[in-house]
Amino acid sequence: MTETPAAPPDERTVRRAVAGAAMGNAVEWFDYGIYAYLATSIGLNFFPDADETARLLLVFAGIAIPFVLRPFGGIILGPLGDRFGRRRVLSFTIIMMSAATFVIGLIPNYRTIGVAAPILLLLARLAQGFSTGGEYGGAATFIAEYAPDKRRGFYGSFLEFGTLIGNVAGALLATAVQLGLSEAALNSWGWRIPFLVAGPLGLVGWYLRTKLADTPAFEKAERAGATSRVPLKETFTKMWPQLLNLIGFVILLNVAMYTLIAYMPTYLTEVLELGDTASLLIPLGLMVGMLFVINAVGALSDRVGRKPLLLTAAIGFLVVSWPAIALLETRSVFGAVAGMAMLSVLLVLMLGTIGSALPAMFPTRNRYSGFAIGYSTSTAAFGSTAPLVITALIDGTGNTAIPAFYLMAAAAIAIVPIMLMPETAGVPINHPTRIPGRTPVANAEEEALAPS
């Protein structure tokens, strides 16, 4: 007897699944938004005796160091998601992530408890790094496996819509407390407010995720006995070409993300001395602009393919980064807006496409593991370190164009893996074809029944 194929989820269910997955990404970037925008206040509370440059380096180390654990989160949580289901792991990651952010808002400052303050801050950031190692890959997998094949680009774009909305919400709240409180009140207790808000946000995301069934692709593989018993081993022995491909591309994605979103407010304020209000509002306004077009970019990738958009972005960063940063170096509001807008257009081409392009590179049985391990490894090595490296290079060389050179180097690297990347627009999620190192399968049912 043959199994009757399960009906695809209705649109309402797909939308709920997309919202539940994107919510975790929003919580993650809400934290990065408030951390980056409140870098000065955090430095004064946890590293008060350091000079200004050292304090900034220590604060940005608080972004970079936790990412040491992100690959371990991917290695541990990704295979659990392939073995036991996406939903269970994602319910855990969002609680761990939001709880760690909430705890940061409760830590006494250095003047109160001494060196224990930065140690507790580091421990909370390490917990965030571990949980996000499994969060992003799981959320991308969850959306891609729920979305209809012909609209996977559109629905996949909501993954990074969550990134932007979380960052915008965090930046807005951080900006509000900075503009609405006196400097003394802000540095005393006001900076804590945005971190405390993360607690309720995490509970909302957890509730949305627990009310959903697991993805149709995973449930189908589970019913057929086709889930992997050793997903970690399979990922490293069979999926290594896809892993290397993903890592190479994600270098550019994360250098661009962390430079433009996490580092740029500090670059405009501390390096170019543009002024606090303009330095906060310009990146925020451009993120809002990206929110309005990111879903259209995802839908466009359903029609023209993922690779043309990704290749346009990579070549664009190679060509445009230096002129864009030169505009910022004019230290005028107009120059800052124009330069940031040029880079933001290229960034949104990637953000609107990756949620559909990257998960489809892997088969169902190894998708969570492959995405989580590859993405978290590349992010830890190149993305989260971008603010720290750029700050140190500018301080060491005195060259304020360092962000341009860093973006151009990442773009040059990314062009090769994008060229090698399979085009998966419109291809069923259960059997992407033309993937390096993988024999194409004839149909989705064959993959579901493949032996371990």
Side-chain angles (χ1 to χ4, degrees):
M1 294 180 64
T2 59
E3 181 185 359
T4 302
D10 58 66
E11 188 169 353
R12 182 172 179 269
T13 301
V14 172
R15 288 177 177 176
R16 289 175 57 215
V18 170
M23 185 70 180
N25 222 32
V27 171
E28 175 187 351
W29 279 91
F30 177 83
D31 167 72
Y32 289 124
I34 57 180
Y35 195 90
Y37 270 69
L38 293 170
T40 300
S41 296
I42 293 170
L44 290 171
N45 274 270
F46 291 95
F47 312 104
D49 296 331
D51 63 53
E52 186 175 342
T53 299
R55 191 182 300 135
L56 277 178
L57 287 170
L58 288 168
V59 171
F60 285 128
I63 293 178
I65 291 174
F67 279 76
V68 172
L69 283 189
R70 189 159 182 166
F72 293 99
I75 288 171
I76 294 171
L77 297 174
L80 288 176
D82 280 331
R83 182 72 180 88
F84 300 107
R86 289 64 160 116
R87 183 179 64 86
R88 292 181 183 179
V89 176
L90 286 173
S91 297
F92 165 76
T93 57
I94 195 168
I95 286 295
M96 185 176 186
M97 196 162 48
S98 57
T101 305
F102 180 82
V103 165
I104 290 175
L106 301 176
I107 300 174
N109 63 25
Y110 186 92
R111 301 297 186 197
T112 303
I113 60 172
V115 72
I119 291 174
L120 291 173
L121 175 66
L122 177 61
L123 290 175
R125 298 292 297 172
L126 288 172
Q128 289 170 324
F130 179 82
S131 60
T132 54
E135 168 62 34
Y136 188 86
T141 296
F142 202 81
I143 293 176
E145 291 183 348
Y146 254 106
D149 292 322
K150 298 297 184 183
R151 301 190 71 197
R152 193 162 62 242
F154 171 72
Y155 282 113
S157 66
F158 281 93
L159 178 71
E160 292 297 338
F161 184 90
T163 293
L164 292 171
I165 202 72
N167 212 292
V168 166
L172 278 174
L173 187 53
T175 301
V177 297
Q178 288 183 80
L179 298 180
L181 297 174
S182 67
E183 184 175 352
L186 171 69
N187 293 328
S188 176
W189 55 267
W191 68 271
R192 299 180 183 275
I193 295 172
F195 288 95
L196 298 177
V197 170
L201 287 179
L203 290 175
V204 171
W206 175 82
Y207 176 81
L208 290 174
R209 290 179 175 183
T210 56
K211 295 301 178 182
L212 289 165
D214 220 316
T215 69
F218 178 80
E219 290 188 336
K220 178 181 179 180
E222 192 173 43
R223 286 194 304 270
T227 56
S228 175
R229 295 185 178 277
V230 286
L232 182 62
K233 178 182 177 181
E234 284 189 7
T235 298
F236 282 115
T237 58
K238 298 180 180 180
M239 298 293 112
W240 61 267
Q242 290 96 305
L243 278 175
L244 294 178
N245 227 22
L246 187 147
I247 288 170
F249 165 69
V250 171
I251 290 173
L252 172 59
L253 172 67
N254 279 292
V255 166
M257 276 282 290
Y258 284 83
T259 299
L260 298 181
I261 292 179
Y263 174 68
M264 201 50 63
T266 301
Y267 177 73
L268 294 175
T269 304
E270 303 293 338
V271 178
L272 300 184
E273 300 177 343
L274 187 61
D276 291 345
T277 301
S279 298
L280 293 172
L281 294 181
I282 291 172
L284 179 58
L286 291 170
M287 281 192 287
V288 172
M290 286 192 282
L291 278 173
F292 282 101
V293 301
I294 189 169
N295 301 130
V297 171
L300 179 63
S301 78
D302 285 325
R303 295 194 294 273
V304 305
R306 326 297 188 206
K307 290 182 66 172
L309 299 184
L310 295 176
L311 195 58
T312 297
I315 295 174
F317 273 112
L318 188 61
V319 174
V320 171
S321 291
W322 188 84
I325 296 299
L327 282 170
L328 268 65
E329 289 183 300
T330 62
R331 304 182 185 229
S332 68
V333 172
F334 174 80
V337 171
M340 286 287 291
M342 292 165 62
L343 297 173
S344 297
V345 168
L346 300 174
L347 177 59
V348 80
L349 289 178
M350 293 192 293
L351 295 182
T353 308
I354 58 170
S356 54
L358 302 186
M361 293 170 63
F362 298 90
T364 301
R365 60 192 289 119
N366 305 117
R367 183 168 294 124
Y368 199 150
S369 301
F371 194 111
I373 293 169
Y375 190 91
S376 60
T377 299
S378 191
T379 303
F382 302 102
S384 63
T385 57
L388 184 66
V389 172
I390 292 171
T391 299
L393 288 175
I394 291 175
D395 185 59
T397 65
N399 188 341
T400 58
I402 289 294
F405 303 139
Y406 208 60
L407 287 166
M408 292 166 67
I413 293 170
I415 289 173
V416 174
I418 292 172
M419 295 294 292
L420 295 175
M421 190 180 295
E423 179 56 75
T424 56
V427 177
I429 191 68
N430 283 347
H431 61 100
T433 57
R434 302 185 303 279
I435 294 178
R438 181 169 181 235
T439 302
V441 296
N443 55 60
E445 295 299 327
E446 284 189 18
E447 188 200 45
L449 297 173
S452 301

